[in-house]
Protein backbone atom coordinates (compact mmCIF):
# COMPACT_ATOMS: atom_id res chain seq x y z
CA UNK A 1 0.00 0.00 0.00
CA UNK A 2 1.24 3.47 -0.81
CA UNK A 3 2.01 5.58 2.20
CA UNK A 4 1.70 9.32 2.59
CA UNK A 5 3.39 11.01 -0.35
CA UNK A 6 4.93 14.46 -0.06
CA UNK A 7 6.49 16.67 -2.69
CA UNK A 8 8.94 18.12 -3.23
CA UNK A 9 11.42 16.30 -0.97
CA UNK A 10 13.72 19.29 -0.94
CA UNK A 11 13.05 22.95 -1.66
CA UNK A 12 15.55 25.77 -1.65
CA UNK A 13 14.29 29.25 -2.39
CA UNK A 14 15.01 32.86 -1.64
CA UNK A 15 13.37 34.93 1.02
CA UNK A 16 10.14 36.51 -0.14
CA UNK A 17 9.23 33.78 -2.59
CA UNK A 18 6.05 31.75 -2.37
CA UNK A 19 6.49 28.13 -1.34
CA UNK A 20 3.92 25.37 -1.87
CA UNK A 21 4.26 21.98 -0.24
CA UNK A 22 2.07 19.09 -1.34
CA UNK A 23 0.69 16.01 0.31
CA UNK A 24 -1.26 12.96 -0.79
CA UNK A 25 -2.66 11.09 2.22
CA UNK A 26 -3.27 7.37 2.44
CA UNK A 27 -6.45 6.49 0.60
CA UNK A 28 -9.42 6.20 2.94
CA UNK A 29 -7.88 8.19 5.76
CA UNK A 30 -10.24 10.88 7.03
CA UNK A 31 -7.69 12.95 8.96
CA UNK A 32 -4.74 14.89 7.62
CA UNK A 33 -2.11 16.68 9.69
CA UNK A 34 0.67 19.14 8.83
CA UNK A 35 3.72 19.35 11.11
CA UNK A 36 6.95 21.30 11.22
CA UNK A 37 10.12 19.82 12.72
CA UNK A 38 13.14 21.80 13.87
CA UNK A 39 16.05 20.97 16.15
CA UNK A 40 14.99 23.64 18.61
CA UNK A 41 11.27 22.91 18.87
CA UNK A 42 10.89 19.33 17.67
CA UNK A 43 7.66 18.31 15.95
CA UNK A 44 4.91 20.90 16.09
CA UNK A 45 1.41 20.48 14.74
CA UNK A 46 0.43 23.30 12.41
CA UNK A 47 -3.06 22.34 11.31
CA UNK A 48 -5.29 19.33 10.90
CA UNK A 49 -8.26 18.46 8.70
CA UNK A 50 -11.15 16.07 9.07
CA UNK A 51 -12.95 15.09 5.86
CA UNK A 52 -11.23 17.97 4.05
CA UNK A 53 -12.39 20.56 6.60
CA UNK A 54 -9.82 22.42 8.74
CA UNK A 55 -10.50 21.62 12.39
CA UNK A 56 -7.68 23.28 14.29
CA UNK A 57 -5.21 25.76 12.81
CA UNK A 58 -3.99 27.18 16.11
CA UNK A 59 -0.46 25.98 15.37
CA UNK A 60 -0.11 27.98 12.17
CA UNK A 61 2.59 30.49 13.09
CA UNK A 62 1.20 33.52 11.27
CA UNK A 63 -0.87 34.71 8.35
CA UNK A 64 1.93 33.96 5.92
CA UNK A 65 1.00 30.28 6.30
CA UNK A 66 -2.11 28.78 4.76
CA UNK A 67 -3.30 25.23 4.14
CA UNK A 68 -6.00 23.79 1.95
CA UNK A 69 -7.50 20.41 1.28
CA UNK A 70 -9.59 20.66 -1.90
CA UNK A 71 -10.34 16.93 -1.93
CA UNK A 72 -9.71 13.74 0.02
CA UNK A 73 -6.51 12.92 -1.84
CA UNK A 74 -4.63 16.21 -1.85
CA UNK A 75 -3.53 18.96 0.49
CA UNK A 76 -1.21 21.93 0.21
CA UNK A 77 0.67 24.05 2.70
CA UNK A 78 1.63 27.45 1.37
CA UNK A 79 4.02 30.05 2.75
CA UNK A 80 3.85 33.53 1.25
CA UNK A 81 6.14 35.39 1.62
CA UNK A 82 8.75 32.97 2.92
CA UNK A 83 11.38 33.96 5.50
CA UNK A 84 14.64 32.29 6.59
CA UNK A 85 13.10 31.32 9.93
CA UNK A 86 10.63 29.13 8.05
CA UNK A 87 13.48 26.75 7.21
CA UNK A 88 12.57 23.34 8.64
CA UNK A 89 11.34 19.90 7.67
CA UNK A 90 7.60 19.87 7.03
CA UNK A 91 5.72 16.61 7.47
CA UNK A 92 2.29 15.54 6.43
CA UNK A 93 0.53 12.68 8.22
CA UNK A 94 -2.82 10.97 7.87
CA UNK A 95 -4.94 8.68 10.03
CA UNK A 96 -8.01 6.59 9.49
CA UNK A 97 -9.75 8.18 12.46
CA UNK A 98 -8.51 10.91 14.79
CA UNK A 99 -7.81 8.54 17.66
CA UNK A 100 -5.86 6.09 15.53
CA UNK A 101 -2.12 6.24 14.76
CA UNK A 102 -0.93 8.88 12.36
CA UNK A 103 1.19 7.74 9.43
CA UNK A 104 3.82 10.17 8.23
CA UNK A 105 5.32 11.00 4.87
CA UNK A 106 9.07 11.46 4.50
CA UNK A 107 8.79 15.23 4.66
CA UNK A 108 9.89 18.26 2.68
CA UNK A 109 13.17 19.82 3.73
CA UNK A 110 12.70 23.54 3.18
CA UNK A 111 15.57 26.01 3.11
CA UNK A 112 14.87 29.72 2.76
CA UNK A 113 17.97 31.74 1.88
CA UNK B 1 -0.30 23.36 29.94
CA UNK B 2 -0.13 19.98 28.22
CA UNK B 3 3.44 18.76 27.97
CA UNK B 4 5.45 15.67 27.01
CA UNK B 5 9.06 15.27 28.16
CA UNK B 6 11.45 12.54 27.07
CA UNK B 7 14.64 11.40 28.72
CA UNK B 8 17.44 10.93 28.18
CA UNK B 9 18.03 13.17 25.18
CA UNK B 10 20.66 10.77 23.88
CA UNK B 11 21.69 7.25 24.78
CA UNK B 12 24.61 5.11 23.67
CA UNK B 13 24.40 1.38 24.27
CA UNK B 14 26.58 -1.56 23.46
CA UNK B 15 24.93 -4.24 21.39
CA UNK B 16 23.02 -6.49 23.78
CA UNK B 17 22.90 -3.91 26.58
CA UNK B 18 19.23 -3.50 27.55
CA UNK B 19 17.83 -0.14 28.67
CA UNK B 20 14.68 1.97 28.92
CA UNK B 21 13.58 5.27 27.47
CA UNK B 22 11.23 7.47 29.45
CA UNK B 23 8.30 9.62 28.34
CA UNK B 24 6.66 11.74 31.06
CA UNK B 25 3.43 13.50 30.27
CA UNK B 26 1.12 16.06 31.81
CA UNK B 27 -1.90 15.94 29.58
CA UNK B 28 -5.45 16.67 30.58
CA UNK B 29 -7.50 13.52 30.19
CA UNK B 30 -4.99 11.44 28.26
CA UNK B 31 -6.75 9.67 25.39
CA UNK B 32 -3.76 7.93 23.85
CA UNK B 33 0.01 7.69 23.90
CA UNK B 34 2.04 6.75 20.83
CA UNK B 35 5.62 5.69 20.25
CA UNK B 36 7.37 6.36 16.96
CA UNK B 37 10.78 5.62 15.52
CA UNK B 38 12.45 8.17 13.25
CA UNK B 39 15.45 7.45 11.06
CA UNK B 40 17.54 10.28 9.54
CA UNK B 41 15.85 11.83 6.52
CA UNK B 42 12.63 9.93 7.12
CA UNK B 43 9.28 10.59 8.70
CA UNK B 44 8.32 9.08 12.06
CA UNK B 45 7.31 5.43 11.80
CA UNK B 46 4.53 4.22 14.07
CA UNK B 47 5.47 1.61 16.68
CA UNK B 48 2.85 1.37 19.45
CA UNK B 49 -0.36 2.84 20.80
CA UNK B 50 -1.23 2.71 24.51
CA UNK B 51 -4.63 3.84 25.73
CA UNK B 52 -4.82 3.07 29.44
CA UNK B 53 -2.54 2.74 32.48
CA UNK B 54 -1.23 -0.78 32.87
CA UNK B 55 -1.31 -1.51 29.18
CA UNK B 56 1.74 -3.09 27.54
CA UNK B 57 2.65 -3.70 23.90
CA UNK B 58 5.57 -5.67 22.45
CA UNK B 59 7.27 -5.90 19.10
CA UNK B 60 10.51 -7.80 18.64
CA UNK B 61 13.04 -6.26 21.05
CA UNK B 62 10.76 -3.37 22.04
CA UNK B 63 8.18 -3.23 24.80
CA UNK B 64 6.11 -0.18 25.68
CA UNK B 65 4.35 0.33 29.00
CA UNK B 66 2.06 3.04 30.36
CA UNK B 67 1.34 4.41 33.84
CA UNK B 68 -0.77 7.40 34.83
CA UNK B 69 2.20 9.75 34.54
CA UNK B 70 4.71 8.19 32.17
CA UNK B 71 5.48 5.63 29.54
CA UNK B 72 8.57 3.53 29.06
CA UNK B 73 10.05 2.01 25.95
CA UNK B 74 12.14 -0.96 27.00
CA UNK B 75 14.75 -2.19 24.57
CA UNK B 76 15.99 -5.71 25.21
CA UNK B 77 19.34 -6.85 23.77
CA UNK B 78 19.44 -4.03 21.18
CA UNK B 79 21.18 -4.34 17.85
CA UNK B 80 22.87 -1.61 15.78
CA UNK B 81 19.81 -1.47 13.51
CA UNK B 82 17.79 -0.22 16.49
CA UNK B 83 19.74 3.04 16.32
CA UNK B 84 17.25 5.86 15.65
CA UNK B 85 15.41 8.67 17.38
CA UNK B 86 12.44 7.46 19.39
CA UNK B 87 9.54 9.86 19.82
CA UNK B 88 6.52 9.67 22.04
CA UNK B 89 3.33 11.65 21.58
CA UNK B 90 0.18 12.10 23.62
CA UNK B 91 -3.18 13.58 22.91
CA UNK B 92 -5.61 14.99 25.49
CA UNK B 93 -9.35 14.71 25.57
CA UNK B 94 -11.33 16.92 23.24
CA UNK B 95 -8.78 17.09 20.45
CA UNK B 96 -6.69 14.96 18.12
CA UNK B 97 -3.67 17.23 18.43
CA UNK B 98 -0.66 15.10 19.25
CA UNK B 99 1.84 16.67 21.62
CA UNK B 100 5.25 15.30 20.77
CA UNK B 101 8.26 14.98 23.01
CA UNK B 102 11.62 16.04 21.61
CA UNK B 103 12.81 12.45 21.36
CA UNK B 104 15.63 10.21 22.53
CA UNK B 105 18.50 9.66 20.09
CA UNK B 106 19.59 6.06 20.51
CA UNK B 107 22.90 4.78 19.22
CA UNK B 108 23.67 1.07 19.53
CA UNK B 109 27.31 0.16 19.03
CA UNK B 110 28.39 -3.17 17.59
Amino acid sequence: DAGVIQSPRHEVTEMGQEVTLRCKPISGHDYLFWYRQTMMRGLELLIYFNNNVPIDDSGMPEDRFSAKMPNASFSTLKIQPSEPRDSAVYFCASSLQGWQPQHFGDGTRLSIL
Amino acid sequence: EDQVTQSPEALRLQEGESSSLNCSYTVSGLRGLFWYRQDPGKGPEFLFTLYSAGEEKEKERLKATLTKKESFLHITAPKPEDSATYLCAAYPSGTYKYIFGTGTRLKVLA
Side-chain angles (χ1 to χ4, degrees), chain A residues 9 31 33 35 37 41-43 45 48 56 58-59 91 98-106 109, chain B residues 31 34 36 38 41-46 49 51 87 91 94-102 105:
Chain A
R9 288 298 315 278
Y31 284 77
F33 304 81
Y35 288 87
Q37 187 175 42
R41 301 174 67 90
L43 262 173
L45 179 67
Y48 78 91
D56 189 328
S58 59
F91 287 102
W99 53 271
Q100 291 180 297
Q102 296 175 17
H103 297 273
F104 285 75
D106 282 337
R109 182 172 296 276
Chain B
R31 297 285 301 279
F34 300 85
Y36 284 83
Q38 186 174 22
K42 298 286 189 179
E45 176 188 351
F46 169 70
T49 309
Y51 289 111
L87 298 164
Y91 73 93
T95 178
Y96 295 123
K97 292 174 62 172
Y98 280 23
I99 302 163
F100 273 89
T102 51
R105 295 188 311 278

Side-chain angles (χ1 to χ4, degrees), chain A residues 4-86:
Chain A
V4 174
I5 299 171
Q6 292 187 245
S7 64
R9 288 298 315 278
H10 304 275
E11 175 87 12
V12 180
T13 192
E14 293 189 348
M15 181 175 65
Q17 297 297 307
E18 178 179 289
V19 174
T20 300
L21 311 181
R22 297 173 175 80
C23 175
K24 177 179 170 56
I26 294 172
S27 177
H29 281 196
D30 287 343
Y31 284 77
L32 184 138
F33 304 81
W34 282 101
Y35 288 87
R36 178 170 67 178
Q37 187 175 42
T38 61
M39 288 294 292
M40 289 292 293
R41 301 174 67 90
L43 262 173
E44 299 175 286
L45 179 67
L46 301 177
I47 185 171
Y48 78 91
F49 296 81
N50 177 25
N51 290 324
N52 314 336
V53 176
I55 302 300
D56 189 328
D57 66 355
S58 59
M60 297 285 262
E62 46 197 278
D63 291 346
R64 298 184 297 105
F65 286 69
S66 62
K68 294 182 180 180
M69 192 164 186
N71 57 63
S73 59
F74 183 67
S75 178
T76 59
L77 178 68
K78 190 171 291 188
I79 308 172
Q80 167 64 21
S82 58
E83 296 183 4
R85 61 194 167 117
D86 301 330

